Amino acid sequence: YEEQFGPIVPITEYNSLETVLDYGQNGQYGQQVSIFVSEEETKSAANLLDRFSTVFGKININSQCGRSPDTLPFSGRRSSAMGVMSVRDALREFSIPTVVSYKDSELNTGIVQEIEAESTFLRPL
């Protein structure tokens, strides 16, 4: 099996809940999992949620896997990612800092303020 990245919903048949748990806990991927259940199956869903909470970074209930809003942290485990970080943290972590400096004078301060207002690079995240 390969990890899916794209508008795909993989569906797998199973004969027992233990088969699902075993596959989830012993597989190599750990970014997201979706659990689809009816009102009658909430006990089984709770069991899956409890067991998968240390395996997957995001557990979707009756919803397909997808990108979360930027207000939620990005989380993954195993070969899917390591750890948790917000989108803002990820941009800061994987960006290379650049220092923009100027000699302090009234003229330069005005120039830099105008540059800052027009520059996309200098906009805050």
Side-chain angles (χ1 to χ4, degrees):
Y1 299 101
E2 291 187 21
E3 190 166 20
Q4 303 289 324
F5 288 99
I8 299 171
V9 179
I11 299 171
T12 304
E13 292 182 0
Y14 62 92
N15 294 321
S16 73
L17 202 52
E18 283 304 314
T19 303
V20 176
L21 290 166
D22 183 58
Y23 180 79
Q25 291 179 315
N26 296 313
Q28 64 183 22
Y29 306 115
Q31 188 175 44
Q32 295 186 52
V33 65
S34 292
I35 302 170
F36 290 88
V37 296
S38 66
E39 291 177 358
E40 296 82 25
E41 300 169 312
T42 55
K43 186 174 182 178
S44 296
N47 184 22
L48 284 170
L49 181 71
D50 291 345
R51 301 270 295 269
F52 284 164
S53 64
T54 59
V55 177
F56 295 98
K58 181 180 178 190
I59 300 171
N60 304 284
I61 305 294
N62 289 343
S63 176
Q64 74 276 6
C65 295
R67 186 174 178 275
S68 295
D70 291 345
T71 55
L72 297 177
F74 174 80
S75 176
R77 294 174 178 81
R78 300 180 181 158
S79 66
S80 295
M82 293 301 287
V84 177
M85 63 176 46
S86 68
V87 173
R88 178 174 283 170
D89 291 340
L91 287 172
R92 286 195 173 126
E93 182 69 26
F94 299 112
S95 296
I96 299 170
T98 301
V99 176
V100 177
S101 67
Y102 60 95
K103 190 168 188 150
D104 191 21
S105 71
E106 193 173 312
L107 175 65
N108 284 341
T109 299
I111 290 170
V112 169
Q113 286 174 345
E114 288 184 36
I115 292 171
E116 188 175 22
E118 295 296 321
S119 172
T120 56
F121 173 75
L122 294 174
R123 285 188 191 140
L125 294 174

